Amino acid sequence: METQAPLPPEYTQAESAELDSRIAAVKNQLGSKLCVLGHHYQRDEVIKFADFTGDSLKLSQLAAGQTDAEFIVFCGVHFMAESADIVSSPNQKVVLPNLHAGCAMAEMADAEDVAAGLEEISELADAQVTPISYVNSTADIKAITARAGGACCTSSNVRNVFEWALAPADKNRPGAGKIFCIPDQHLGRNTAIAMGYGENECCVYDPQLPDGGLTQADVQRATFILWKGHCYVHQLFRPEHVTSVRESHPDIRVIVHPECPREVVELADASGSTAQIITAIEAADPGTEWAVGTESNLVNRLAKRHTDKFICVLNQASAACTQMCRIDRPHLLWALDGIANGQIVNQITVPKETADNARIALQRMIDIKPVTQVTKNG
Ligand code: 13P
Ligand code: SF4
């Protein structure tokens, strides 16, 4: 991880009201040269300055469309800023206000380990193996994915991307019999099962072990080989939280992100990506009750926005993404001041060859139509 320089005291010691007014002023000064993007998991006091908010898919697409903005300030995590740099125009500069805002899940997969894993699995498999990388991965992994004929996915379009990868060969891509899903095992398993595959058709590749700890029989039996990675935020949700919220609120509907463990998704009423969860709650009738198994900044914001519904975090406690929270107002102001003073800080630049390949994997994903509904159980 790159090291974040400590901020000067004028930022760390500024009062809340001063930070707000200075951020608003510098944004105003930069005008249309600047576009601030904010992920849904971002804290309220930062996301209020975003020109656009969205999930990771929407933000990649927005970044690609902001051709007038010379500067894209990404209030998200490192892989999202890399994706924005990859898909934006060469004259645009992407800035991540705090370099320590990395995704803990993305950091569970190292590019060299992924390349070695793909080789090992391909040798053990009796069929073509197509890597599918969740956008929560480094640009290097996206590039490896593209070179091996695979694509990226988000939690909104993962099912479509899996279906694409398992479809018969077309002229651009060799026929594929198996998917190597990197880096979130839960997203891979939950999607495979939603597609009608059995849990026994999934196996877990552990990068710490020779051949991922798998035998030839394991790999040949599996359709989905899942990298041993997870999101610590979504792994906080447990089956007992579903039971307990249903005891206290018998009519509540439980909706969870597919990064949650299988046993939680199985017990929930529905599962879906961040965008799909938001859509489901917005469309719900007044008076309905929702326990949501995803990042708590988003869930608490939904509760404030929809006061006609009861909305709570599934574990009734905090499930904040502390990585996203590293983008705070002092870092945002520091990054904006750098742009305004012509001394750009924290620019995220992906080397050209990596970017060219990673763009292919992202573009394949964007070209595949996203699923818009949550997955209903039962
Ligand atoms: P989305 O693709 O739903 O934005 O999720 C990104 C993420 O980091 C979820 O933990
Ligand atoms: Fe990464 Fe989890 Fe944070 Fe999403 S919630 S950015 S997967 S650490």
Side-chain angles (χ1 to χ4, degrees), residues 258-269:
E259 286 177 19
C260 293
R262 177 70 210 146
E263 55 276 23
V264 174
V265 173
E266 211 158 52
L267 276 181
D269 296 296

Side-chain angles (χ1 to χ4, degrees), residues 76-149:
V77 287
H78 194 275
F79 77 83
M80 297 179 186
E82 276 192 336
S83 295
D85 182 53
I86 291 163
V87 300
S88 58
S89 315
N91 63 318
Q92 293 179 299
K93 295 176 182 59
V94 177
V95 166
L96 181 67
N98 185 343
L99 292 177
H100 288 168
C103 165
M105 177 206 281
E107 285 162 16
M108 287 181 188
D110 166 81
E112 276 181 29
D113 291 346
V114 168
L118 189 55
E119 221 168 277
E120 285 170 355
I121 291 167
S122 300
E123 268 173 34
L124 295 173
D126 52 352
Q128 176 76 33
V129 178
T130 301
I132 301 296
S133 340
Y134 197 18
V135 283
N136 299 39
S137 60
T138 61
D140 286 322
I141 291 176
K142 292 179 175 89
I144 291 169
T145 299
R147 284 193 216 102

Side-chain angles (χ1 to χ4, degrees), residues 20-34 36 49 51 336 340:
D20 276 355
S21 65
R22 286 179 61 190
I23 293 170
V26 70
K27 271 198 77 190
N28 198 32
Q29 180 193 339
L30 289 166
S32 61
K33 277 190 353 188
L34 171 73
V36 179
F49 293 109
D51 297 305
L336 293 174

Side-chain angles (χ1 to χ4, degrees), residues 46-59:
V46 167
I47 210 161
K48 69 183 179 191
F49 293 109
D51 297 305
F52 297 98
T53 60
D55 65 354
S56 46
L57 172 63
K58 184 174 162 195
L59 292 175

